[in-house]
Amino acid sequence: MRVTCGLHPHRKMAEAPAFARKREAMGFDGLWVPEAQHNPFTALALVAEHSEHARIGSNVTVAFARSPYVMANHGWDLQEYSGGRFIIGMGTQVKGHNERRFSVPWGPPNPRLREYIEMMRACWHTWRTGEKPNYEGQYYRYTLDAWNWNPGPIDYPDPPIVLAAVRPLNTRLGAEVGDGVLWHRMMSWAYRDQVLVPALEEGARRAGKDPKDLVIAGGGFVVTAKTEEKLVAELAELKRWMSFYASTRSYHDAMIMAGLEDEAMLLHRLSIEQKWDEMVKIIDDDFLEKFAIVGTWDEIAGKMRDVYGGLNTEIQLRMEIEDPDDEEHIKEIMAEVRTIPTYGEIERTPAAA
């Protein structure tokens, strides 16, 4: 099992170098940078500069806010600068954010995303070979380039593309056309096992791939802290985030399969009324159990094994380092997580609804 970590979504770009140096020195296999308050690609250039071995990538960046050509250009440059360590994690976001925050038109996301990936790879083919571009789809077109715009070939393979996924269509697409999936945290175990895993396996079958060779990451919340007392504070923060996500209709299929349809509708109504404190009260222990893994540092690896064993090919650890002893403790946890079997290595029993 690969072990990765991510730059906190609210950290400044200037904190990326220290993050990269520290986490790589601790032995993390991958370093992710999200698109939240800041553009991920500027921070990723710093992460590339201040690391040597760890894979680096965006988890996740918003696809439709950029053209496929622009995204391909980001990926090409960072793949070269990082020495072939870059991976593009991207997703569609929802209609409201595309139209009202990024100010870009919305359309059928799944077929657009398929063409988006195809055009990115068409760009890379032209840049690598010098051949005339000739990609024409329903949504995207790449038929014009010239020597003074073409960045030319690089000495590394094309960057892998992994897709953020909440539903089966993008999960299938990530396995078929992409190089894997980054499942959202707002996902019940039953929904993941009974809906998304079959979609992942179908996508891999269509493309003649073995799922064990894909990036299979994410799914569910993981909340952990060094002590029971600190775990209480982490749980309070988790419930705040979980109530926010659960109020969004994009995640209601997972809620319904978990037997929480009434709670989903109530949370949506309270979010419209902006009653954030009332929403948190709905996240009880039963709710948590269906969506989250909760435990102290000493417990968390064993609990991850029960939930992710035989499925994920990588796991992200989110742990704050408060003193030097914490680093050694986290390294011990990482070593335990690496022993968790990945996709296909053990037989799994799907979670019940």
Side-chain angles (χ1 to χ4, degrees):
M1 184 73 70
R2 294 187 297 270
V3 185
T4 68
C5 65
L7 181 67
H8 193 284
H10 299 159
R11 294 287 190 263
K12 301 290 188 183
M13 187 179 75
E15 298 179 61
F19 159 79
R21 290 192 297 267
K22 173 72 73 176
R23 268 50 178 198
E24 183 172 75
M26 292 176 65
F28 280 96
D29 301 303
L31 308 174
W32 294 109
V33 175
E35 179 159 35
Q37 295 178 340
H38 307 287
N39 184 316
F41 296 111
T42 47
L44 278 163
L46 293 174
V47 171
E49 183 176 10
H50 292 271
S51 62
E52 296 180 3
H53 310 294
R55 190 194 68 199
I56 68 171
S58 52
N59 185 1
V60 293
T61 188
V62 180
F64 301 150
R66 302 165 179 86
S67 78
Y69 188 98
V70 170
M71 188 74 80
N73 205 238
H74 283 313
W76 203 241
D77 288 345
L78 282 166
Q79 180 74 326
E80 181 178 40
Y81 190 58
S82 67
R85 296 182 289 126
F86 185 61
I87 182 169
I88 300 176
M90 65 184 190
T92 62
Q93 249 297 353
V94 296
K95 179 180 179 181
H97 283 274
N98 275 268
E99 291 184 339
R100 295 163 51 205
R101 181 156 69 99
F102 292 103
S103 191
V104 292
W106 182 252
N110 187 260
R112 282 182 67 201
L113 195 56
R114 178 183 290 270
E115 283 195 9
Y116 196 103
I117 296 169
E118 290 172 351
M119 180 170 153
M120 287 176 65
R121 290 187 170 143
C123 292
W124 294 337
H125 178 76
T126 288
W127 299 343
R128 192 177 294 281
T129 65
E131 294 179 11
K132 186 180 187 314
N134 63 351
Y135 182 81
E136 294 199 62
Q138 181 179 353
Y139 304 99
Y140 297 107
R141 184 183 189 194
Y142 173 52
T143 59
L144 174 66
D145 219 326
W147 65 269
N148 53 328
W149 300 318
N150 185 329
I154 60 176
D155 294 329
Y156 306 99
D158 295 353
I161 300 170
V162 295
L163 298 185
V166 174
R167 292 176 174 166
L169 284 178
N170 277 5
T171 294
R172 188 181 302 119
L173 189 68
E176 179 189 355
V177 181
D179 299 289
V181 294
L182 301 169
W183 279 324
H184 198 281
R185 292 189 292 168
M186 193 63 217
M187 183 177 299
S188 64
W189 311 124
Y191 183 77
R192 179 198 65 177
D193 290 353
Q194 297 182 35
V195 176
L196 298 187
V197 171
L200 174 88
E201 293 170 340
E202 172 61 22
R205 278 194 297 271
R206 290 182 180 184
K209 301 175 184 176
D210 189 329
K212 70 179 177 60
D213 297 325
L214 299 172
V215 172
I216 306 174
F221 292 85
V222 176
V223 58
T224 186
K226 188 162 52 173
T227 65
E228 292 283 357
E229 293 76 16
K230 291 184 177 181
L231 187 59
V232 171
E234 292 291 334
L235 275 172
E237 181 70 5
L238 170 68
K239 289 180 178 181
R240 187 168 72 93
W241 276 103
M242 190 176 283
S243 67
F244 170 76
Y245 282 128
S247 69
T248 304
R249 284 176 288 189
S250 297
Y251 311 121
H252 281 190
D253 287 350
M255 298 274 289
I256 291 168
M257 181 161 280
L260 297 167
E261 183 174 4
D262 291 343
E263 288 84 349
M265 300 306 296
L266 176 58
L267 284 164
H268 180 64
R269 178 174 61 79
L270 291 174
S271 70
I272 294 172
E273 298 170 359
Q274 297 193 355
K275 294 182 178 178
W276 313 116
D277 292 339
E278 292 296 314
M279 291 165 61
V280 173
K281 297 175 184 177
I282 297 171
I283 312 300
D284 58 16
D285 290 344
D286 178 63
F287 197 120
L288 283 173
E289 185 177 348
K290 294 176 178 178
F291 288 85
I293 305 171
V294 179
T296 63
W297 284 8
D298 291 331
E299 301 169 330
I300 201 65
K303 293 188 174 186
M304 284 179 165
R305 180 182 296 270
D306 293 339
V307 174
Y308 296 125
L311 177 57
N312 281 39
T313 57
E314 65 178 57
I315 291 174
Q316 184 172 163
L317 289 181
R318 299 166 181 259
M319 295 176 170
E320 292 296 324
I321 300 170
E322 297 178 350
D323 59 61
D325 291 339
D326 289 347
E327 293 184 32
E328 293 306 313
H329 196 168
I330 293 171
K331 288 179 184 178
E332 293 172 2
I333 297 166
M334 290 168 60
E336 190 174 352
V337 171
R338 283 199 173 94
T339 68
I340 296 175
T342 61
Y343 182 92
E345 292 183 344
I346 58 170
E347 187 174 347
R348 301 183 66 254
T349 302

